[in-house]
Amino acid sequence: MKAARTAALLLILAPVAALAADPTQPEAIARANVMKEVGKNTKILGEMAQGKTAFDAAAAEAAKAALIAAAAAAPAAFEVQGAEDPVSEARPEIWTGWEDFTAKATDLRVAAEGVDTASADGLRTGMATLSGTCKACHSVYRE
Ligand code: HEC
């Protein structure tokens, strides 16, 4: 009984631990929120592309629009470095390599704009290009 209760408690605590890792500095919160939006909508498109969720052209189009908006919002959200935030994953190279960083944000927006939401096949092709732009930026600018 006790072991089962402990296991249940651990399951409840796991998401709390994940939340505790969120940044506390306002600038870091703002940029993390933009990236969360990017992540959320990429996941929606990716799961549809993989057939994990049923293809839904309207939902795909909505996720694409949200992704484009988040990509467009990224440069402004990252512009001010702000105070050091211990859990922020943003590398200081963002602000020393600002032009390259914003060019990579533009690559993300352009890739998102290019996603064909008319079919699951279109999504699969678009997601391949899109995920390349995530990696290109994260490998240089994210801890
Ligand atoms: C222009 C650069 C850039 C591009 C392009 C980019 N990211 Fe990020 N991403 C970052 C940086 C930098 C961070 C760390 C931000 C921080 O911790 O302050 C990050 C963080 C994240 C996070 C963590 C957010 C959190 O704190 O919970 C997710 C999820 C994420 N990115 C998803 C994506 C996905 C998916 C793509 C591609 C579709 C993508 N990103 C494209 C720069 C980028």
Side-chain angles (χ1 to χ4, degrees):
M1 256 327 260
K2 194 163 181 247
R5 232 180 291 143
T6 308
L9 184 66
L10 286 177
L11 280 177
I12 294 166
L13 286 179
V16 176
L19 283 178
D22 276 345
T24 49
Q25 291 295 328
E27 292 83 1
I29 293 170
R31 58 186 184 242
N33 283 344
V34 168
M35 271 302 142
K36 279 182 180 148
E37 187 70 8
V38 170
K40 184 180 105 184
N41 290 289
T42 302
K43 188 168 175 236
I44 293 171
L45 294 174
E47 288 183 346
M48 254 186 237
Q50 291 168 6
K52 281 189 190 165
T53 52
F55 176 72
D56 174 339
E61 193 54 36
K64 172 182 166 174
L67 188 55
I68 293 168
F78 278 84
E79 196 168 12
V80 180
Q81 184 170 5
E84 186 86 17
D85 189 300
V87 300
S88 173
E89 297 173 337
R91 288 199 183 145
E93 285 79 4
I94 292 171
W95 296 280
T96 53
W98 183 246
E99 270 182 39
D100 179 62
F101 180 80
T102 52
K104 285 182 163 57
T106 302
D107 292 344
L108 169 65
R109 182 177 51 76
V110 171
E113 283 167 357
V115 175
D116 169 12
T117 55
S119 70
D121 265 350
L123 285 187
R124 269 189 287 280
T125 310
M127 292 311 286
T129 312
L130 189 70
S131 58
T133 68
C134 318
K135 267 186 230 116
C137 192
H138 288 174
S139 63
V140 187
Y141 297 113
R142 186 183 177 190
E143 299 282 355

